Amino acid sequence: MSLPSIAAGGAAKTMLAVTVSVHPVAVAHGSHFVTARPGDTLSSLSQHEFGRAGDWPALWWANRKSVPDPGMLRVGQRLRVPVQHQVSPWLMRAALAASPAPAPAAAPATSVTSAPAQTYTAASGSFQSCVIQAESGGNAGAVNPYTGAGGLYGFLPSTWQALGFSGLPENASVAEQNAAFAKEYAQSGSSAWSAYDGC
């Protein structure tokens, strides 16, 4: 009579062991999901979920099969938010490579009052020239639609303001953008750009 109860007890212990061993795996993966709403971008979702808009490549990487173009989110799209979201240089390069190159802007209609777009080039072969080419192609009014970085040097608005400048970098004069570059370069050297631009 006691033999069946021992077998049942053994089966219960086996089932308990399986249950306990499965549970930690679910916790380790601990990611959750968000649904894209009108106006959401990977940058804005990254800011909300990770506290840094610049960590958007990690969000893209976790969803790269359903979001092949980092600049195109569909309203109602369900995105997995990974627990770990460290953005390394290879991940940034992969995310930027997945972003299609912007189409060239159509030439504006010529009129007496139209002003030419501000463009700027630095000494050929210099670090400054490399950054300009990588970030804006020399267009002082350029804006990255994925990160919000703007101007010749691709300053994020938060970095621009932390350097003591007002407004947005893409709206500033070339002289002001050059001053911001010089200030950032004096503070942190090439580290603000070299990991992303290959300069």
Side-chain angles (χ1 to χ4, degrees):
M1 285 274 193
S2 62
L3 187 60
S5 65
I6 293 171
K13 286 180 184 176
T14 303
M15 287 173 50
L16 179 62
V18 169
T19 304
V20 170
S21 66
V22 171
H23 183 67
V25 173
V27 171
H29 289 289
S31 58
H32 65 278
F33 291 85
V34 295
T35 303
R37 296 178 298 176
D40 279 344
T41 63
L42 288 179
S43 294
S44 67
L45 291 172
S46 177
Q47 176 69 44
H48 182 265
E49 296 295 326
F50 305 143
R52 279 183 30 99
D55 286 353
W56 67 268
L59 190 56
W60 168 76
W61 186 258
N63 297 280
R64 64 192 180 279
K65 291 180 181 171
S66 62
V67 185
D69 176 357
M72 299 293 293
L73 282 183
R74 293 184 318 274
V75 172
Q77 190 167 12
R78 194 165 181 245
L79 303 171
R80 186 172 71 84
V81 179
V83 172
Q84 296 190 7
H85 57 272
Q86 183 176 1
V87 178
S88 57
W90 73 265
L91 180 55
M92 180 60 79
R93 285 191 299 272
L96 293 175
S99 305
T110 324
S111 71
V112 176
T113 58
S114 68
Q118 289 188 27
T119 58
Y120 180 79
T121 56
S124 180
S126 68
F127 176 75
Q128 183 181 14
S129 176
C130 179
V131 171
I132 289 171
Q133 286 308 308
E135 293 289 343
S136 67
N139 178 359
V143 179
N144 183 318
Y146 309 113
T147 64
L152 289 168
Y153 304 100
F155 281 111
L156 289 169
S158 58
T159 304
W160 180 257
Q161 291 169 0
L163 289 169
F165 296 92
S166 61
L168 294 171
E170 62 269 20
N171 297 332
S173 69
V174 168
E176 194 172 16
Q177 291 184 42
N178 288 338
F181 172 80
K183 189 171 183 179
E184 178 65 25
Y185 190 77
Q187 289 178 0
S188 61
S190 63
S191 64
W193 298 277
S194 57
Y196 309 108
D197 297 339
C199 297

